[in-house]
Amino acid sequence: MLILAIETSCDETAAAVVEDTKVLSSIKWTQEIHSQWGGIVPSLAKRDHEARIESIINQALADAKSTKDNIGAVAVTVGPGLAIALEVGIKWAKKLAQEWHKPLIGINHIEGHILSSLTPEVRFPCMALVVSGGHTQIIRVDEIGKYKILAQSLDDDIGEALDKGARMLGLPYPGGPALEKLAAQGDPKKYKLPLPMAGREGRAFSYSGLKTAFYRLINQVGGPSASSGLSADQKADLASSYQAMVFKHLVRTLRLIINNSELAIRDLLAGGGVAANMKLREEIKKLSDEAGLNVHYPANLMLCTDNAVMVGIAAGFKAARGEFADPEKIDRLPRWRVDEK
Ligand code: KG4
Ligand code: ZN
């Protein structure tokens, strides 16, 4: 069955047509208006989604050479995410499903990230790591559709920590990729930063203390003019030291959870924008070699960051289980946990 999938939970306006796990088309627009604010402004996100969604849906249908006649269902992200942004996608999905007389499927954005790296070789139970601007979660996957969050952030999420750290160094938004590039030129051991949750690791993440420590460090190294007083080498070393500690906290927590699990975990599904980072992948590789774990990433970097393909893939599994939404009742769920129905 062909599924038209729509995603507007944050700052990507996306639509895709998928048939099971086969991608027939994928269109996504990453909103640029937020870069000048250094973070996402919900009201601007909503307005931009509204301005573009219709043409993005039409483009996705055209690229897949599809029309309402061969689409079997319409799927949309209903949460978690920004309430007023989610509403835009839901409104359109509901409208199309009703006009076309097609079933409607409501998707959890995190389930989309989890399933976007799924391959037929994955054995359950497995673990999932979802690392993005709005999520830092380790999730036990008992089977498709059955999840348990084992750790999440108590404060800032990992992508947010990278974005804010990058901003302190004067890098453009989104900071994660810019910081990765700069960090590759620096020495990760040059500056000392505190390991988050030292002695209390293994159950949750916390990035706000590290972010504050980084701010202080920049001021120490750069003097009164902070980041503008830094040399190129100092900036690269700072970026490298900070990114290394952000990932150290993540991978140590992941290691503890996998080693302490009573279940024999053989596969790890990784997704979310931060999973596009090659340095993080190197660190995860060390853990996977040591723990005999197969790590799976989305087929390309575009599928790590938000997209509608992942929504369509998750929807295919829901459709197979007969889990459809009532168009009269479908509503945004901005705080929907992936382990809640
Ligand atoms: O999954 P995503 O597109 O949206 C959310 O659901 O949040 O993730 C966006 C986040 C941003 O924080 C961005 O800086 C980060 O993913 N990101 C990266 C990289 N590419 C994107 N972080 C580190 N390295 C990258 N290469
Ligand atoms: Zn996401």
Side-chain angles (χ1 to χ4, degrees):
M1 178 171 68
L2 264 61
I3 295 178
L4 168 67
I6 299 170
E7 156 67 43
T8 63
S9 69
C10 193
D11 63 336
E12 262 95 11
T13 315
V17 177
V18 304
E19 184 171 27
D20 302 319
T21 53
K22 198 165 119 208
V23 183
L24 302 186
S25 68
S26 174
I27 305 291
K28 90 173 184 181
W29 162 256
T30 302
Q31 301 180 346
E32 289 160 347
I33 32 162
H34 308 289
S35 60
Q36 55 187 300
W37 305 100
I40 291 151
V41 183
S43 58
L44 296 179
K46 173 192 157 85
R47 211 187 307 158
D48 209 35
H49 284 312
E50 279 172 339
R52 295 179 192 269
I53 187 153
E54 186 171 12
S55 69
I56 284 177
I57 291 172
N58 288 337
Q59 187 67 49
L61 288 169
D63 277 13
K65 299 190 174 35
S66 292
T67 63
K68 65 178 167 56
D69 300 324
N70 61 358
I71 293 292
V74 181
V76 63
T77 302
V78 296
L82 302 169
I84 58 173
L86 288 163
E87 277 170 6
V88 181
I90 294 171
K91 193 181 107 190
W92 272 88
K94 193 170 140 175
K95 171 181 142 69
L96 295 178
Q98 284 181 326
E99 283 176 12
W100 297 353
H101 304 289
K102 307 287 175 177
L104 185 62
I105 307 169
I107 295 298
N108 182 297
H109 180 87
I110 299 298
E111 181 173 29
H113 277 305
I114 295 172
L115 298 181
S116 55
S117 61
L118 187 69
T119 63
E121 300 85 58
V122 171
R123 292 145 300 178
F124 299 104
C126 67
M127 290 286 179
L129 174 71
V130 178
V131 278
S132 72
H135 305 283
T136 320
Q137 297 188 346
I138 296 172
I139 301 150
R140 192 184 71 220
V141 183
D142 293 325
E143 57 187 73
I144 296 168
K146 196 160 169 236
Y147 310 100
K148 173 83 189 134
I149 298 174
L150 301 179
Q152 60 184 334
S153 184
L154 302 173
D155 42 61
D156 291 359
D157 281 297
I158 186 165
E160 191 184 352
L162 293 170
D163 291 340
K164 287 180 179 165
R167 189 168 159 85
M168 291 176 209
L169 290 174
L171 300 174
Y173 180 86
L179 196 76
E180 176 178 18
K181 240 191 231 161
L182 184 59
Q185 298 156 26
D187 174 5
K189 295 206 169 83
K190 176 79 184 182
Y191 297 109
K192 278 216 157 9
L193 282 159
L195 175 70
M197 304 200 71
R200 295 180 296 138
E201 298 167 274
R203 294 191 177 277
F205 300 102
S206 169
Y207 280 110
S208 78
L210 176 59
K211 181 189 67 187
T212 310
F214 188 51
Y215 180 74
R216 274 198 233 107
L217 177 64
I218 290 174
N219 283 288
Q220 234 172 5
V221 178
S225 43
S227 73
S228 52
L230 297 169
S231 70
D233 281 350
Q234 284 173 325
K235 274 195 185 177
D237 290 339
L238 283 162
S240 195
S241 304
Y242 181 63
Q243 183 185 258
M245 192 50 77
V246 168
F247 292 161
K248 186 171 178 177
H249 177 40
L250 183 79
V251 177
R252 279 175 68 105
T253 308
L254 184 60
R255 179 180 279 107
L256 278 169
I257 288 181
I258 286 172
N259 290 346
N260 291 340
S261 172
E262 294 141 19
L263 306 165
I265 299 295
R266 290 168 298 183
D267 293 275
L268 175 73
L269 306 174
V274 182
N277 188 292
M278 293 302 152
K279 186 66 193 162
L280 176 60
R281 291 188 182 200
E282 250 176 55
E283 297 302 320
I284 291 176
K285 173 84 172 55
K286 290 182 201 158
L287 165 63
S288 65
D289 287 348
E290 168 197 311
L293 205 63
N294 296 303
V295 187
H296 307 266
Y297 292 98
N300 60 57
L301 295 183
M302 290 283 278
L303 295 178
C304 286
T305 48
D306 288 349
N307 63 85
V309 170
M310 66 185 205
V311 177
I313 290 174
F317 290 111
K318 279 197 127 176
R321 296 197 300 269
E323 294 176 17
F324 296 101
D326 179 343
E328 298 303 328
K329 292 193 189 142
I330 192 166
D331 199 3
R332 60 191 168 72
L333 295 168
R335 299 190 167 276
W336 186 13
R337 282 174 62 109
V338 74
D339 51 6
E340 280 168 0
K341 279 288 160 200

